[in-house]
């Protein structure tokens, strides 16, 4: 039938099958999304597009009539990042996951319920899905299908978080990073340097403040955002350009920015750690990594990144296995529900033209075909006639829509 879900596809680049550094190369800054995504939609003839970007995944939600084959995926990857080598494109294309139709809807629900996350039960993902939709909708990339899908996805996610224990005693990448930091015996007077003041670093700051860490400075490209975070910590704020000349030293550096290239190289590190008095700790939650590999190799430091937290994340999955089964039952039911909602919506759209056509026929009848006869009526008769025609018009539309809906929904896919 013309309302099946086969036009809906997802191309997913995730931690399950790809190294995080490669996924990071597909991440677009907010400005790049404004530039690249409309071109992506236009050049590949997609009806709708949604771009989802988290710390361990990049996904494209697509509505299109044509199939998603490996050759097309390679072209899409190149469109996202034209600086990738042919080998990198081949690796990413051969390792991505592609979902179609019902399975794509199911995958969307699982993502929002955190079942596909590196850390199962991480509630932040549902907000990230909503934000991704809002951003793409503002860019004119989404349409009626993705609107309905995301509405039902948010509803399903909330249902799961309310009626299962999947997020009980919640953990997240940030909380795992904080636990790892505490295992190294860091004192509360440790000198903290934040590079970036986005959502991830703000959440990390919340943990540190809760445990009485106060000696901090914040560097960010937008100074006003750095000030907001520094004020919450009782620290100081600087423009990111001042990082290379900062002389205050550090014990712990927390780095997470949207930069696609490493920000912390050996020159900056040596400036920040001029005395080399003790082993430093760097928490790098950027994707791609914000710390140059040479720094990790050559400096006396403890390096905590998303990859190093995977083992803890895997243990978290095992603990929540029973709840995952409950979540998947809910998702299966909600996928079936979405299929019916989608069919109903398609019928509504298809029959949306009927009321306008009926009104046009009525107007022609009154103003052209029966003009003379109607003009001979008194005002009271004209008023009664208008009421009768409007009543018939309304009832006809309702009967036509109901009959078509019952007929179409009674048929199998």
């Amino acid at each position: 039938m013309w309302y099946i879900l086969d036009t809906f596809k997802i191309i997913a680049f995730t931690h399950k099958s790809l190294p995080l550094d490669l996924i990071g190369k597909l991440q677009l800054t907010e400005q790049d999304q404004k530039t690249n995504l409309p071109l992506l939609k236009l050049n590949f003839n997609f009806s709708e597009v949604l771009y989802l970007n988290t710390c361990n995944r990049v996904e494209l939600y697509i509505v299109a009539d044509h199939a998603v084959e490996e050759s097309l995926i390679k072209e899409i990857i190149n469109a996202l990042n034209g600086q990738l080598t042919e080998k990198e494109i081949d690796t990413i294309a051969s390792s991505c996951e592609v979902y179609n139709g019902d399975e794509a809807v199911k995958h969307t629900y699982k993502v929002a319920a955190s079942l596909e996350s590196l850390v199962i039960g991480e509630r932040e993902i549902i907000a990230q899905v909503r934000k991704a939709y809002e951003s793409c909708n503002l860019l004119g990339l989404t349409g009626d299908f993705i609107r309905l899908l995301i509405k039902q996805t948010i509803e399903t996610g909330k249902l799961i978080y309310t009626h299962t224990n999947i997020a009980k005693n919640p953990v997240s990448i940030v909380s795992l990073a904080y636990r790892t930091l505490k295992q190294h015996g860091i004192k509360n007077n440790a000198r903290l340097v934040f590079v970036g003041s986005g959502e991830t670093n703000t959440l990390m700051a919340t943990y540190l403040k809760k445990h009485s860490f106060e000696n901090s400075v914040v560097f960010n490209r937008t100074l006003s955002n750095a000030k907001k975070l520094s004020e919450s910590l009782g620290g100081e704020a600087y423009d990111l350009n001042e990082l290379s000349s900062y002389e205050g030293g550090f014990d712990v550096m927390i780095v997470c920015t949207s930069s696609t290239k490493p920000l912390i190289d050996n020159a900056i590190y040596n400036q920040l750690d001029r005395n080399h008095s003790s082993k430093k700790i760097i928490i790098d939650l950027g994707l791609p990594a914000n710390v140059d590999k040479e720094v990790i190799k050559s400096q006396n430091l403890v390096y905590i990144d998303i990859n190093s937290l995977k083992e803890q994340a895997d243990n978290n999955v095992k603990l929540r296995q029973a709840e995952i089964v409950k979540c998947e039952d809910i998702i299966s039911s909600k996928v079936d529900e979405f299929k019916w909602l989608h069919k109903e919506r398609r019928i509504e759209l298809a029959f949306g033209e009927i009321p306008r056509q009926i009104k046009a026929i009525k107007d022609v009848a009154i103003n052209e075909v029966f003009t003379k006869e109607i003009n001979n009526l008194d005002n009271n008769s004209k008023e009664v006639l208008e009421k009768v025609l409007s009543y018939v018009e309304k009832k006809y539309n309702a009967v036509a829509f109901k009959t078509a809906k019952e007929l179409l929904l009674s048929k199998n896919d």
Side-chain angles (χ1 to χ4, degrees):
M1 295 292 291
W2 46 270
Y3 48 73
I4 57 178
L5 300 178
D6 286 354
T7 56
F8 178 48
K9 293 103 174 173
I10 295 175
I11 307 172
F13 311 96
T14 80
H15 64 95
K16 291 186 175 182
S17 57
L18 280 164
L20 293 175
D21 61 331
L22 278 183
I23 296 172
K25 293 184 178 183
L26 300 179
Q27 291 197 320
L28 301 177
T29 64
E30 187 173 331
Q31 184 56 49
D32 286 339
Q33 289 183 41
K34 292 178 180 179
T35 303
N36 291 15
L37 295 181
L39 287 175
L40 187 83
K41 179 183 178 184
L42 177 66
N43 293 339
F44 292 101
N45 196 28
F46 297 145
S47 301
E48 301 182 39
V49 173
L50 185 144
Y51 174 84
L52 176 65
N53 169 18
T54 77
C55 65
N56 52 61
R57 70 180 58 247
V58 168
E59 298 193 350
L60 281 171
Y61 295 65
I62 297 165
V63 178
D65 292 329
H66 45 283
V68 175
E69 299 175 343
E70 187 170 349
S71 58
L72 177 61
I73 293 172
K74 288 182 179 181
E75 291 180 33
I76 291 171
I77 293 168
N78 188 57
L80 292 174
N81 184 349
Q83 303 301 313
L84 291 171
T85 66
E86 187 174 335
K87 182 179 179 181
E88 287 174 325
I89 292 175
D90 289 343
T91 300
I92 295 171
S94 62
S95 301
C96 72
E97 304 156 36
V98 178
Y99 301 89
N100 291 279
D102 295 11
E103 289 301 313
V105 175
K106 182 178 180 181
H107 175 76
T108 307
Y109 288 177
K110 290 178 71 174
V111 167
S114 81
L115 301 191
E116 297 291 318
S117 297
L118 183 61
V119 178
I120 303 295
E122 186 176 24
R123 285 177 176 266
E124 287 87 351
I125 183 63
I126 195 169
Q128 291 170 321
V129 170
R130 182 189 287 110
K131 184 178 179 181
Y133 170 71
E134 290 171 351
S135 297
C136 290
N137 186 49
L138 283 174
L139 293 174
L141 302 174
T142 61
D144 196 71
F145 180 87
I146 289 181
R147 178 198 62 78
L148 181 61
L149 173 69
I150 297 303
K151 180 177 182 293
Q152 294 305 118
T153 298
I154 300 302
E155 179 182 304
T156 302
K158 289 179 178 179
L159 187 66
I160 285 172
Y161 290 128
T162 301
H163 295 284
T164 75
N165 290 322
I166 195 68
K168 186 178 181 181
N169 300 321
V171 293
S172 65
I173 287 293
V174 173
S175 65
L176 291 178
Y178 175 75
R179 292 178 193 181
T180 305
L181 174 65
K182 288 295 289 181
Q183 288 170 6
H184 290 281
I186 295 298
K187 305 298 182 183
N188 292 89
N189 62 351
R191 295 167 298 171
L192 308 176
V193 170
F194 287 86
V195 182
S197 60
E199 184 178 339
T200 299
N201 272 5
T202 299
L203 188 56
M204 178 62 77
T206 303
Y207 278 96
L208 293 165
K209 183 179 180 181
K210 181 180 178 181
H211 293 88
S212 303
F213 287 85
E214 296 179 347
N215 187 3
S216 64
V217 294
V218 181
F219 293 86
N220 194 63
R221 293 189 193 281
T222 305
L223 184 57
S224 58
N225 291 338
K227 287 180 178 179
K228 288 179 184 178
L229 181 54
S230 66
E231 287 171 3
S232 71
L233 291 165
E236 299 176 337
Y238 298 94
D239 188 279
L240 185 61
N241 292 328
E242 298 181 72
L243 183 63
S244 59
S245 59
Y246 180 68
E247 297 182 353
F250 79 99
D251 298 302
V252 179
M253 183 188 302
I254 301 104
V255 193
C256 186
T257 75
S258 60
S259 175
T260 56
K261 297 179 180 179
L263 290 175
I264 310 300
D265 57 18
N266 268 321
I268 290 180
Y269 183 90
N270 288 328
Q271 166 64 28
L272 296 175
D273 185 29
R274 299 169 75 182
N275 298 323
H276 300 284
S277 56
S278 63
K279 179 177 285 189
K280 309 301 180 183
I281 296 177
I282 294 182
I283 300 175
D284 181 0
L285 299 181
L287 188 64
N290 289 165
V291 178
D292 193 282
K293 292 179 181 178
E294 288 302 314
V295 174
I296 304 165
K297 290 179 183 177
S298 60
Q299 304 292 347
N300 181 30
L301 58 84
V302 174
Y303 182 67
I304 302 168
D305 69 343
I306 296 173
N307 281 315
S308 67
L309 300 172
K310 273 192 171 183
E311 184 176 348
Q312 295 181 57
D314 290 341
N315 290 333
N316 174 59
V317 173
K318 294 174 184 176
L319 291 172
R320 297 172 190 264
Q321 197 61 51
E323 296 305 310
I324 290 174
V325 174
K326 295 178 185 177
C327 294
E328 289 181 337
D329 287 343
I330 292 173
I331 287 171
S332 293
S333 174
K334 295 297 285 185
V335 169
D336 289 339
E337 180 181 317
F338 178 80
K339 289 164 65 178
W340 285 101
L341 287 171
H342 176 239
K343 290 176 183 178
E344 288 183 356
R345 181 58 182 156
R346 294 296 293 171
I347 294 167
E348 288 174 6
L349 292 173
F351 280 81
E353 184 63 24
I354 289 180
R356 287 187 288 273
Q357 292 182 359
I358 297 301
K359 185 178 186 304
I361 292 171
K362 185 187 77 171
D363 290 343
V364 169
I366 293 174
N367 299 316
E368 296 180 25
V369 180
F370 299 103
T371 303
K372 292 181 179 179
E373 290 86 346
I374 293 174
N375 286 338
N376 290 329
L377 298 175
D378 58 46
N379 289 336
N380 184 58
S381 298
K382 289 180 181 179
E383 185 177 333
V384 171
L385 177 62
E386 177 62 33
K387 288 180 179 179
V388 169
L389 290 175
S390 295
Y391 177 84
V392 171
E393 176 186 355
K394 180 179 179 181
K395 291 299 180 181
Y396 175 84
N397 289 331
V399 170
F401 179 76
K402 181 180 178 182
T403 303
K405 183 176 177 181
E406 289 175 350
L407 175 64
L408 292 171
L409 293 182
S410 67
K411 294 187 177 182
N412 297 324
D413 286 347

